[in-house]
């Protein structure tokens, strides 16, 4: 695991965007996977600006979404679908045909998961997966205690996830479950880019990096990933042992 600590959120966002650009420059048909949440917003903003300035071509890339709230329509502001189109796909000129996302309104969750797994296999796996970390150490919606062998699956969400999730919506929204790529897919990403910023993430970053590797802190598996890059600001890094 490579850990890079930045003075502030802008530095972190800039470096994360650069890393994604490097991957796409090296492999124009790269397979990318994006999380939503607050952590990557600056990265997506920087990516859009840099891509425009430098004419980075995303037209051969294929993109997956990491997770989605079950029961939330794609057009609803706050859904992962809505946010990914707004923050990533539209600014980068990525077309619908280059994207596969979970359908939060699916009536057949098993089928939805099988289709997602099949699409990832068909794409040849994920070159770069950008993720955040939940306050309880989740990645995507892989909550503490998750079976590490799982691929796409449905997940009952924990209290802290529901509380922070509510903040992505501009009105009170009934959320209870999520659908997510599994830890097997997180661990299989050829590059795993994990972003965290702010003092609120310092304790969980300490646990994930310095603590034992355990499914009680899914993000602790970053220590075992073959190519994980952790980009954090000084505040999130403030409780690290070294
Ligand atoms: C959410 C999402 C994750 C996200 C994480 C951290 O529940 N399911 O994909 O990465 O929590 O979010 P944030 O970056 O807003 O702290």
């Amino acid at each position: 695991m490579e850990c890079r600590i930045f003075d502030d959120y802008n530095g972190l966002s800039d470096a994360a965007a650069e890393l994604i650009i490097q991957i796409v420059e090296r492999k124009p048909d790269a397979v990318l996977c994006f999380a939503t949440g607050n952590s990557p917003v600056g990265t997506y903003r920087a990516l859009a600006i840099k891509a425009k300035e430098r004419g980075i071509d995303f037209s051969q890339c294929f993109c997956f979404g990491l997770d989605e709230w079950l029961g939330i329509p794609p057009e609803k502001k706050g859904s992962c679908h809505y946010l990914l189109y707004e923050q990533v796909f539209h600014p980068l000129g990525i077309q619908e045909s280059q994207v596969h996302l979970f359908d939060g309104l699916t009536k057949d969750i098993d089928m939805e998961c099988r289709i997602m797994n099949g699409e990832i296999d068909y794409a040849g796996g994920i070159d770069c997966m950008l993720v955040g970390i939940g306050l309880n150490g989740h990645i995507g919606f892989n909550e503490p205690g998750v079976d590490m062998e799982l691929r796409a699956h449905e997940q009952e969400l924990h209290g802290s996830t529901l509380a922070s999730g509510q903040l992505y919506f501009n009105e009170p929204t009934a959320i209870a479950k999520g659908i997510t790529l599994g830890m097997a897919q997180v661990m299989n990403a050829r590059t795993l880019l994990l972003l965290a910023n702010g003092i609120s993430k310092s304790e969980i970053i300490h646990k994930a990096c310095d603590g034992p590797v355990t499914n009680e802190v899914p993000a602790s598996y970053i220590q075992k990933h073959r190519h994980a890059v952790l980009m954090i600001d000084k505040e999130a890094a403030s409780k690290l042992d070294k």
Side-chain angles (χ1 to χ4, degrees), residues 92-234:
L92 297 178
I94 291 171
Q95 306 297 309
E96 252 184 88
S97 58
Q98 297 173 258
V99 172
H100 185 78
L101 304 179
F102 284 117
D103 174 8
L105 294 183
T106 181
K107 295 276 174 285
D108 187 341
I109 293 168
D110 286 348
M111 178 63 80
E112 190 65 21
C113 291
R114 278 202 298 277
I115 293 173
M116 176 57 86
N117 293 337
E119 290 282 336
I120 292 175
D121 290 345
Y122 182 72
I126 293 169
D127 292 303
C128 179
M129 181 186 282
L130 181 157
V131 300
I133 179 171
L135 290 172
N136 61 5
H138 73 220
I139 288 187
F141 281 136
N142 293 283
E143 297 280 36
V146 72
D147 177 349
M148 294 299 298
E149 301 301 318
L150 286 179
R151 302 176 82 206
H153 63 101
E154 173 186 9
Q155 174 83 50
E156 198 86 40
L157 300 175
H158 291 196
S160 69
T161 307
L162 296 173
S164 24
Q166 209 41 255
L167 305 175
Y168 304 133
F169 297 96
N170 52 10
E171 56 187 0
T173 300
I175 43 175
K177 290 179 176 181
I179 186 167
T180 182
L181 297 192
M183 288 305 292
Q185 288 153 322
V186 173
M187 294 306 284
N188 264 334
R190 286 185 273 276
T191 295
L192 178 65
L193 174 57
L194 194 153
L195 308 181
N197 63 288
I199 198 74
S200 67
K201 294 286 172 75
S202 58
E203 187 59 41
I204 194 63
I205 285 294
H206 162 60
K207 278 191 187 155
C209 297
D210 301 323
V213 176
T214 163
N215 68 340
E216 289 307 322
V217 181
S220 63
Y221 272 80
I222 190 175
Q223 298 177 40
K224 286 195 157 190
H225 195 281
R226 59 185 159 162
H227 185 214
V229 185
L230 175 64
M231 293 193 181
I232 55 181
D233 69 357
K234 271 185 180 164

Side-chain angles (χ1 to χ4, degrees), residues 28-74:
D29 60 349
V31 178
L32 308 171
C33 176
F34 298 109
T36 53
N38 295 321
S39 315
V41 170
T43 300
Y44 297 151
R45 206 177 296 133
L47 191 56
I49 294 170
K50 287 170 187 286
K52 194 168 178 204
E53 278 173 3
R54 284 150 53 183
I56 311 295
D57 179 14
F58 285 83
S59 67
Q60 295 178 60
C61 292
F62 197 84
C63 303
F64 291 98
L66 178 64
D67 51 16
E68 186 57 278
W69 308 95
L70 277 171
I72 301 298

Side-chain angles (χ1 to χ4, degrees), residues 1-24:
M1 173 180 83
E2 180 191 342
C3 177
R4 296 179 61 188
I5 300 172
F6 297 86
D7 283 342
D8 57 28
Y9 182 62
N10 283 343
L12 175 168
S13 302
D14 195 78
E18 275 308 327
L19 180 67
I20 296 168
I21 286 175
Q22 272 172 24
I23 289 171
V24 173

